[in-house]
Amino acid sequence: MEEDYIREKCPVCGGDIMTTNEGWECDNQMNAVTPCPFSVEKQINGATITEDIVHELCQHGRSRILTMKDKTGKLYLAHLEVQNGRVEMVPEGLYLKHRCPHCGGRIQITSKGYYCENSLGKHPTCKFHCNGILSHRFITPDELEAYLDRHPTIIDGCFNSQGRIFSAILMENESYGMSLTSIVGKCPLCGDDVLVSPVAFNCCNHHQVGEPYHMSIWRHVKGYNVTLEDLKEILTYGITSKPVVLNSENGTLSKAYLRLSEDKTHIVPDFNIRDEDVV
């Protein structure tokens, strides 16, 4: 009968959707030649399914987010989705914008950290993950996103086993897990490692007794926060490619490049701005 149908077409075969005592189903479900499996129950894991939700499934292939209940009575969030002709329940989760650098899977945010979706479950096919806490420091989604975007940011407020505060950047270890390193470059004087600290970028030989004075660059210069991109340009080319905005003692703003000093131990502002950088 006409009143047994809703104004919607089956998303699987294009047939008409009819109502039943249990819910909704495609009228081709009883087709002897090519039966259609599409059907939706009125109650799914404690959630009441309305006709509006059926419209969403037919038009978009998925429903809004629903509150469902498991066998123990625990509430959880999920949505309905048409998969291989059938309506499946898909638990909701939080994911990073970037995907796994190894297999392309989504990176899910869990209570323990960040895991490639293909590293979870009984039969994992990927190992990529990042613990949520590294060296007593919570790793934020933005910090891992920046690493995956190949523009890592400095992570301050880390603690080592002796309780000493240090700064670092994310790096991937051999087991596809993430760890921390303070190495951010090579010293232009001795060629050894440059380490990031809470206040400066220092040659690792900076405090050795008997050693000559090595490079040390403050992370904050005249009100400007020196980034890892700036540091990379300074160590590679001796100067930043673009001018930055500096603040004077009286509050006057000016533009300058950050240039490595002649003795290569620190940086100095270079106010000789090229014409193409004058805005």
Side-chain angles (χ1 to χ4, degrees), residues 2-277:
E2 186 176 351
E3 58 269 24
D4 293 332
Y5 288 81
I6 65 173
R7 290 181 174 273
E8 203 61 76
K9 292 293 184 180
C10 174
V12 179
C13 71
D16 294 320
I17 303 298
M18 64 181 187
T19 60
T20 68
N21 291 333
E22 293 77 23
W24 300 264
E25 65 182 33
C26 176
D27 63 357
N28 285 326
Q29 193 167 91
M30 303 304 294
N31 189 311
V33 180
T34 55
C36 179
F38 181 82
S39 66
V40 188
E41 297 179 355
K42 290 182 178 180
Q43 289 286 330
I44 300 178
N45 292 4
T48 299
I49 308 304
T50 65
E51 190 172 309
D52 287 340
I53 294 175
V54 177
H55 283 299
E56 294 172 4
L57 285 168
C58 293
Q59 294 175 14
H60 309 295
R62 60 166 291 165
S63 73
R64 69 193 70 172
I65 297 175
L66 306 169
T67 300
M68 296 188 174
K69 184 184 298 184
D70 64 15
K71 294 180 180 180
T72 66
K74 180 180 178 181
L75 299 179
Y76 64 97
L77 301 179
H79 69 269
L80 301 179
E81 191 170 300
V82 180
Q83 298 180 356
N84 299 320
R86 300 182 181 277
V87 175
E88 303 288 349
M89 185 275 298
V90 180
E92 281 295 311
L94 297 175
Y95 297 88
L96 297 182
K97 295 178 181 178
H98 288 81
R99 288 182 170 262
C100 174
H102 296 283
C103 71
R106 296 179 300 173
I107 299 176
Q108 187 166 7
I109 304 174
T110 75
S111 60
K112 293 185 177 181
Y114 311 89
Y115 289 79
C116 172
E117 62 183 346
N118 296 320
S119 71
L120 303 172
K122 295 181 180 180
H123 305 288
T125 58
C126 185
K127 299 179 180 179
F128 182 79
H129 68 280
C130 176
N131 291 338
I133 303 292
L134 293 176
S135 295
H136 306 281
R137 166 66 152 73
F138 173 69
I139 306 302
T140 68
D142 286 343
E143 288 166 341
L144 184 54
E145 293 274 24
Y147 169 82
L148 294 170
D149 195 38
R150 299 183 180 181
H151 293 88
T153 57
I154 298 171
I155 299 174
D156 292 311
C158 305
F159 286 82
N160 62 18
S161 57
Q162 289 78 40
R164 183 178 178 182
I165 298 177
F166 69 97
S167 299
I169 61 173
L170 286 171
M171 66 171 291
E172 188 174 344
N173 56 40
E174 295 179 355
S175 62
Y176 288 7
M178 301 300 298
S179 57
L180 298 173
T181 179
S182 293
I183 300 174
V184 292
K186 294 293 182 180
C187 176
L189 278 174
C190 69
D192 220 330
D193 292 332
V194 173
L195 309 178
V196 59
S197 79
V199 296
F201 303 105
N202 297 313
C203 172
C204 63
N205 298 315
H206 180 58
H207 293 300
Q208 288 189 14
V209 177
E211 287 287 334
Y213 188 81
H214 287 273
M215 188 202 77
S216 181
I217 296 176
W218 295 110
R219 285 177 52 186
H220 297 89
V221 178
K222 295 183 179 295
Y224 177 74
N225 180 27
V226 181
T227 67
L228 289 173
E229 297 288 338
D230 296 329
L231 178 69
K232 181 179 179 180
E233 292 181 345
I234 292 169
L235 296 180
T236 304
Y237 308 111
I239 189 171
T240 54
S241 60
K242 296 293 182 181
V244 301
V245 177
L246 303 180
N247 199 346
S248 67
E249 294 181 0
N250 61 11
T252 301
L253 301 179
S254 58
K255 282 189 173 183
Y257 304 105
L258 299 180
R259 181 185 293 278
L260 194 62
S261 62
E262 291 187 6
D263 60 3
K264 299 182 179 180
T265 60
H266 60 285
I267 56 174
V268 293
D270 183 344
F271 297 100
N272 297 312
I273 306 300
R274 299 186 296 266
D275 292 340
E276 59 267 26
D277 290 330

